[in-house]
Amino acid sequence: MTNSAVRMTGVVKRFPGVVANDGVNFEVLKGEVHALLGENGAGKSTLSNILTGLYRPDEGTIELNGSPVVFGSPKAALDAGIGMVHQHFRLVEPFTVAENVILGNPETPFVIDTGTTAERVAELARRYDMAVDPNAKIWQLSVGEQQRVEILKVLYRGAQVLILDEPTAVLTPIEAEALFRTLRAMTAEGRTVIFISHKLDEVMSVSDRITVLRGGRTVGTVNTRDTSTRELASMMVGRSVEFSRVVRQSPADPGNVVLSLTNVNCEDDRGRQALHEVTVTVGRGEIVGVAGVAGNGQRELAEVIAGMRSSTGGTITVSGNEVPNGRARAAIAGGVAHVPEDRLHTGLAAGHSVEDNMALKNYRTPLLSRFGLLKRNVITSQAGDLVSKYDVKTPDTATPVRLLSGGNVQKVLLAREFSTNPRVLIAASPTRGLDVGAIETVRGRLVEAADSGVGILLISEDLEEIMSLADRIVVMYEGRLVADIPASQATREQLGLLMGGAKMEVTR
Amino acid sequence: MKSPIRLERRLEQPRWLNWAIPLISLLGALVVGGLVLLATGKNPLDVYWRILDRGFLSERSITGTLRTATPLAFTGLCAAAAFRLGVINIGGEGQLYVGAVGAALVGLWMGGSAPVGITIIVMVVAGMVFGAMYASIVGVLRSQFNTNEIITSLMLNYIAGIILNYLIFNSRSYWRDPRSVGFPSGKPLEERTHWPTYELFGFSVAFGFLLAIAAAVVLWVIYKRSRLGFEIGIIADSPRAARYVGIRTKWTIVAVTAMSGALAGIGGASQVGDFAHYLDAKGLQLNNFGYTGIVVAALARLNPLGAILVAVLLGGLTNAGYSLQGPDFPSGLVGTLQGLILFTAVAGEILTKYRLRSNRAGTKAVAA
Ligand SMILES: Nc1ncnc2c1ncn2[C@@H]1O[C@H](COP(=O)(O)OP(=O)(O)O)[C@@H](O)[C@H]1O
Ligand SMILES: [Mg+2]
């Protein structure tokens, strides 16, 4: 196998509580675009960080061009010809493109000849079909252009193997096309590209071969020519396993709509459109699962409904009443409860006590305050009641929530949200990061709430969770709802395809 | 390259640390200061006794101490109020000047006619309003444009100083004494506008100092018991959580900055009404009350009632410093002692958040 560029064998990497890579085997040939495909958390970034010397593997070997190597640092890997373009850029904003490219390069002379450097950078950019002005300052550039600078940085250092970690996540489709042309130009010169993604279409169109990771293990490597998005989807999410649907005390009443979104649009923090004409309803006692790979608009969806983010179009109603745009207090008053994915710093104020956090949603009500002054004794007794009712393990109600364990943090949050007697609950990744016991408890609480008539929008990346809890499943992809399927008819394979962006007949 | 001791963040901050640490810091400062004094050939016990006597023991010295403490209490409260929200308003200095301008304006204007009580109340209110308006420039810039309030409030201090000078040096200024020939000075206020002084426990206490205590109590209630205080705490702890529950963060920033400026403004009004009885452009700028107020707030750990206490302590220390100074006692040494006390107090502050750990005893250190 003389034309093997990189071979990783039996790579194991453990983090506290998780095995991120669990015996990964991965081989990349010279001159190919090799895609590394997998869901979030599959271990893709960890594997590439090992290859570039950022992490050291607990077990396993790495061979570069057939000879074993051990990298102590990203610099050592770069010296050996392996360069990485990270998910998050590492550029100096007030500097020019050319300056960033030569920054940290040991060959850079003490006195910099900006003219020649700029020319060399421009020449490199032309060769790989990357439009970027070497004299522009980084802060003036679009995200796509900044990414090109990152690529130029590693090319300038003479990298033969380039790793790009989810490069298209931040790009517009047109920018992504341009990136693919650049990658082709590089492999045509004999360089090797490792392309990390969870998007099926992209992987199909840009790669020569594909390795799929799932749960830290290699599922397999296939030739792109010989595979299909369908096969990749099932490799990515796993063959449908047996799982039990939760038994409900009282059935959902989808006809009695408690939450309805009609053609809702909104922008993300950077002003890009994050939701496109989202239309969905949740009935009384119904659990609607929102499946999708993180970053496809789920956070914005939750925030728009909770009034934390203004929509740029469309209407949201709760029990038939329109909720004023972007006003969290109005949403709360209207009966919207929200368990955000970032529990400790959005759903709770981590430095505050359990009792303050329990009062976060109703401290303005006459129950807890009068004439602008808080009734501290009522706040304490309210918290005491909720702590015992929801079995929160805490020394006392004055303990800051940041000292509680993850499961108990989530219990505090759920206790408070349910104590407001909501009509609608938005739950974003409500069990992520919890241990098995806590997951059970949280799921039990959600089902209990649904049984009592709360309409729940369950946003989760965990397909099993959605399939076992939801009555109906919608799939989000790039800010759009691409499917709306009764949970009883959904298959993992089909959901995996939709989550990866495969076009499909929408079953209604 | 590994030091034998490292700082480790405390998970919890036990309550007793709140008073134990300042006390221990003070003792430490006295010990180190004593060594310095010994090295310069002075008897430390003797010097410390003189500081205590001149600053805090005799009736006359207490009167002087409270006088110096009054503006420091207000600027200390000003800093504490804003810092609680995480707004670093260091503009207490300028807000105090502007408050003095406002109080002097209404004092001069109402002086002869209105009833005494009303005049004084209006002077207090004018100081508050002027200070609040001036500070809200900082608040609005921060909340609307996310400008750095440290820079804006610092710049506004210089501007306020220039305004102050202009109001006295401009020959047609309402605040200027037309009779002041040669060196211009502020127009004296009618005697009826002078704020009362109370004889309490044998020493005289200015009305302004009582106002400061009242303001501290109000501020304490706001932070401990009120809805606004609750919201301020949430914003400071987690801006995202504040957004999540719909707290109006921008409005709160403006309101709190204005409140902070109002406190410094009363301090300025008190300088006019209690002590100077005219707009004393030079005197106001001489003492750095605003900047010392930041130290007061820091030492009081942003506790309003603590700020009063610290202001009295610093006031006494300042006055004792003046009276110690002399041919046998250079002012540099006074400054050194004062500096040492502040330094150890601030250093001690670290120990409430962190604790010392031996590196050898612990398990192998993880690279951070
Ligand atoms: N530095 C780290 N510390 C602890 N856990 C980590 C760390 N990096 C990754 N993980 C965990 O390892 C798993 C794999 O993560 P990652 O390699 O980032 O996945 P991917 O890039 O495929 O989304 C996840 O469960 C993640 O939480
Ligand atoms: Mg990743």
Side-chain angles (χ1 to χ4, degrees):
Chain A
M1 275 290 228
T2 48
N3 73 342
S4 156
V6 172
R7 181 187 297 155
M8 302 175 81
T9 319
V11 171
V12 175
K13 178 71 192 174
R14 299 183 193 92
F15 290 115
V18 276
V19 185
N21 286 163
D22 191 4
V24 174
N25 298 314
F26 180 49
E27 184 176 32
V28 184
L29 305 181
K30 274 183 196 148
E32 70 171 347
V33 175
H34 194 116
L36 197 53
L37 180 71
E39 290 185 297
N40 277 345
K44 307 180 298 285
S45 295
T46 304
L47 189 68
S48 54
N49 285 335
I50 289 172
L51 182 53
T52 52
L54 207 60
Y55 295 155
R56 254 173 253 199
D58 297 324
E59 288 166 36
T61 56
I62 307 173
E63 287 166 53
L64 183 62
N65 302 324
S67 41
V69 284
V70 176
F71 297 131
S73 68
K75 193 178 161 299
L78 197 50
D79 290 340
I82 300 181
M84 175 145 174
V85 175
H86 288 272
Q87 241 165 325
H88 305 284
F89 304 148
R90 291 144 193 226
L91 298 170
V92 185
E93 297 234 315
F95 282 21
T96 66
V97 169
E99 283 163 347
N100 268 281
V101 168
I102 60 170
L103 201 70
N105 186 339
E107 281 156 35
T108 303
F110 186 70
V111 180
I112 298 168
D113 179 355
T114 32
T116 355
T117 329
E119 232 160 75
R120 285 180 61 189
V121 172
E123 145 68 24
L124 205 57
R126 258 196 309 279
R127 200 158 109 207
Y128 297 108
D129 202 5
M130 285 186 277
V132 55
D133 171 8
N135 293 314
K137 300 256 194 317
I138 298 299
W139 58 266
Q140 297 169 320
L141 302 182
S142 72
V143 178
E145 289 171 309
Q146 292 187 18
Q147 186 177 67
R148 287 174 211 149
V149 181
E150 285 282 11
I151 297 174
L152 283 170
K153 254 166 73 176
V154 283
L155 286 178
Y156 195 85
R157 290 292 308 273
Q160 285 304 312
V161 178
L162 277 92
I163 307 168
L164 295 100
D165 193 358
E166 308 214 0
T168 55
V170 294
L171 300 183
T172 63
I174 292 170
E175 285 174 327
E177 280 302 316
L179 173 69
F180 296 160
R181 280 199 302 278
T182 301
L183 298 185
R184 284 282 164 214
M186 293 193 296
T187 50
E189 285 196 353
R191 293 185 208 251
T192 307
V193 172
I194 299 173
F195 177 89
I196 300 177
S197 178
H198 57 241
K199 296 186 184 166
L200 299 171
D201 291 344
E202 255 173 42
V203 162
M204 288 297 284
S205 76
V206 74
S207 68
D208 300 305
R209 295 200 307 152
I210 302 164
T211 295
V212 182
L213 288 187
R214 185 174 73 234
R217 294 168 197 263
T218 320
V219 181
T221 301
V222 291
N223 286 321
T224 309
R225 240 178 292 120
D226 307 333
T227 190
S228 64
T229 48
R230 184 170 290 270
E231 186 190 13
L232 289 175
S234 65
M235 286 173 82
M236 195 162 93
V237 298
R239 301 258 167 226
S240 14
V241 283
E242 284 301 307
F243 59 87
S244 50
R245 298 252 319 130
V246 161
V247 187
R248 291 282 299 274
Q249 301 295 321
S250 53
D253 181 3
N256 189 348
V257 173
V258 290
L259 172 71
S260 124
L261 275 71
T262 316
N263 299 329
V264 171
N265 291 317
C266 88
E267 292 176 347
D268 65 13
D269 291 336
R270 293 215 310 276
R272 291 191 313 178
Q273 189 162 357
L275 293 184
H276 299 264
E277 305 285 324
V278 169
T279 299
V280 66
T281 62
V282 180
R284 205 180 123 76
E286 190 182 25
I287 302 181
V288 175
V290 180
V293 177
N296 277 287
Q298 292 96 322
R299 190 161 67 93
E300 287 79 7
L301 177 68
E303 289 187 356
V304 158
I305 301 172
M308 295 173 67
R309 183 178 291 276
S310 296
S311 63
T312 51
T315 52
I316 301 173
T317 63
V318 173
S319 298
N321 304 315
E322 188 167 340
V323 181
N325 188 8
R327 290 194 24 222
R329 272 182 192 160
I332 294 165
V336 178
H338 177 200
V339 176
E341 56 182 325
D342 173 20
R343 292 157 211 153
L344 209 47
H345 298 289
T346 302
L348 299 164
H352 276 64
S353 61
V354 170
E355 61 185 54
D356 281 0
N357 275 290
M358 290 290 198
L360 215 48
K361 284 279 172 83
N362 65 346
Y363 70 94
R364 297 178 69 87
T365 59
L367 180 67
L368 295 191
S369 62
R370 187 166 18 135
F371 310 126
L373 293 182
L374 299 173
K375 300 179 188 165
R376 294 263 28 150
N377 52 345
V378 188
I379 289 179
T380 307
S381 64
Q382 163 182 285
D385 293 348
L386 289 173
V387 161
S388 50
K389 183 169 167 202
Y390 284 82
D391 193 27
V392 182
K393 300 275 185 304
T394 173
D396 53 35
T397 59
T399 306
V401 290
R402 73 184 156 82
L403 297 180
L404 303 184
S405 72
N408 283 300
V409 165
Q410 188 65 309
K411 281 187 199 167
V412 171
L413 188 40
L414 284 174
R416 184 194 63 214
E417 290 307 296
F418 288 138
S419 74
T420 60
N421 293 321
R423 296 189 172 140
V424 174
L425 171 70
I426 317 298
S429 305
T431 61
R432 186 163 65 194
L434 302 186
D435 60 47
V436 182
I439 290 176
E440 283 285 289
T441 315
V442 169
R443 288 185 182 167
R445 291 291 180 189
L446 293 179
V447 172
E448 215 177 274
D451 282 339
S452 73
V454 179
I456 299 181
L457 197 65
L458 172 65
I459 300 172
S460 177
E461 282 184 85
D462 183 344
L463 276 187
E464 196 210 323
E465 175 163 284
I466 287 193
M467 293 183 76
S468 64
L469 294 182
D471 300 298
R472 200 147 54 80
I473 300 175
V474 296
V475 180
M476 276 203 98
Y477 182 73
E478 297 195 329
R480 292 186 169 82
L481 289 187
V482 291
D484 188 338
I485 318 160
S488 52
Q489 293 170 23
T491 65
R492 278 182 86 87
E493 202 184 4
Q494 174 195 26
L495 292 176
L497 270 173
L498 289 162
M499 283 163 64
K503 305 278 178 299
M504 191 183 198
E505 293 294 295
V506 177
T507 18
R508 277 269 180 192
Chain B
M1 283 277 288
K2 217 157 83 178
S3 104
I5 304 176
R6 69 196 151 94
L7 284 174
E8 181 182 277
R9 203 184 163 103
R10 286 179 190 276
L11 273 181
E12 285 173 272
Q13 300 176 11
R15 267 171 193 266
W16 57 268
L17 284 176
N18 281 344
W19 51 264
I21 297 267
L23 219 65
I24 294 169
S25 316
L26 188 68
L27 281 178
L30 292 180
V31 171
V32 179
L35 293 178
V36 173
L37 287 169
L38 275 179
T40 56
K42 306 267 184 298
N43 177 353
L45 290 179
D46 182 43
V47 173
Y48 288 152
W49 173 250
R50 273 163 71 193
I51 291 182
L52 213 57
D53 182 53
R54 307 282 164 81
F56 305 99
L57 292 186
S58 72
E59 280 172 13
R60 257 198 47 220
S61 63
I62 294 180
T63 301
T65 293
L66 292 186
R67 181 189 172 128
T68 314
T70 303
L72 294 183
F74 279 112
T75 52
L77 292 174
C78 160
F83 287 13
R84 282 260 182 156
L85 180 61
V87 173
I88 311 301
N89 171 23
I90 57 170
E93 185 80 22
Q95 289 143 24
L96 178 125
Y97 300 168
V98 173
V101 169
L105 174 69
V106 298
L108 288 169
W109 183 55
M110 296 175 67
S113 47
V116 175
I118 295 196
T119 312
I120 292 173
I121 291 171
V122 174
M123 282 174 76
V124 173
V125 171
M128 282 174 75
V129 170
F130 272 61
M133 303 257 283
Y134 201 61
S136 58
I137 300 175
V138 175
V140 169
L141 286 174
R142 157 83 192 260
S143 68
Q144 296 304 313
F145 306 107
N146 207 16
T147 43
N148 183 329
E149 73 276 7
I150 300 181
I151 294 173
T152 53
S153 61
L154 183 66
M155 290 319 204
L156 284 169
N157 285 348
Y158 294 113
I159 296 175
I162 293 166
I163 292 174
L164 211 51
N165 289 341
Y166 173 78
L167 292 180
I168 296 304
F169 283 94
N170 172 18
S171 51
R172 273 174 301 170
S173 161
Y174 186 68
W175 286 264
R176 176 175 170 157
D177 186 356
R179 289 164 306 169
S180 63
V181 280
F183 200 79
S185 85
K187 191 192 294 175
L189 271 71
E190 298 273 342
E191 200 159 323
R192 309 178 60 233
T193 68
H194 296 189
W195 294 9
T197 317
Y198 303 94
E199 295 299 321
L200 295 177
F201 312 110
F203 31 86
S204 49
V205 180
F207 178 58
F209 187 74
L210 300 179
L211 272 183
I213 294 176
V217 171
V218 170
L219 200 60
W220 186 86
V221 170
I222 288 179
Y223 278 114
K224 278 278 177 206
R225 287 273 178 273
S226 79
R227 254 162 31 184
L228 176 64
F230 187 76
E231 293 173 350
I232 288 168
I234 301 293
I235 294 172
D237 185 3
S238 173
R240 273 176 285 165
R243 189 160 73 99
Y244 165 74
V245 293
I247 292 172
R248 292 174 297 167
T249 300
K250 289 183 174 185
W251 180 90
T252 309
I253 288 175
V254 176
V256 168
T257 320
M259 181 169 83
S260 158
L263 288 164
I266 310 177
S270 142
Q271 286 297 297
V272 174
D274 275 322
F275 307 118
H277 308 304
Y278 66 97
L279 185 63
D280 182 4
K282 211 162 133 239
L284 284 171
Q285 295 179 68
L286 208 61
N287 290 298
N288 290 334
F289 290 133
Y291 297 112
T292 313
I294 297 167
V295 178
V296 171
L299 292 183
R301 316 194 62 217
L302 310 189
N303 180 328
L305 302 177
I308 301 286
L309 217 66
V310 174
V312 172
L313 261 172
L314 282 190
L317 212 57
T318 312
N319 285 356
Y322 289 138
S323 57
L324 273 183
Q325 234 162 283
D328 63 325
F329 211 97
S331 69
L333 205 50
V334 175
T336 306
L337 285 181
Q338 290 172 340
L340 267 174
I341 291 177
L342 295 187
F343 180 79
T344 49
V346 174
E349 172 75 19
I350 292 179
L351 293 182
T352 61
K353 292 217 179 82
Y354 297 86
R355 61 180 162 202
L356 293 174
R357 267 300 173 86
S358 161
N359 251 342
R360 265 170 306 167
T363 49
K364 63 173 182 179
V366 187

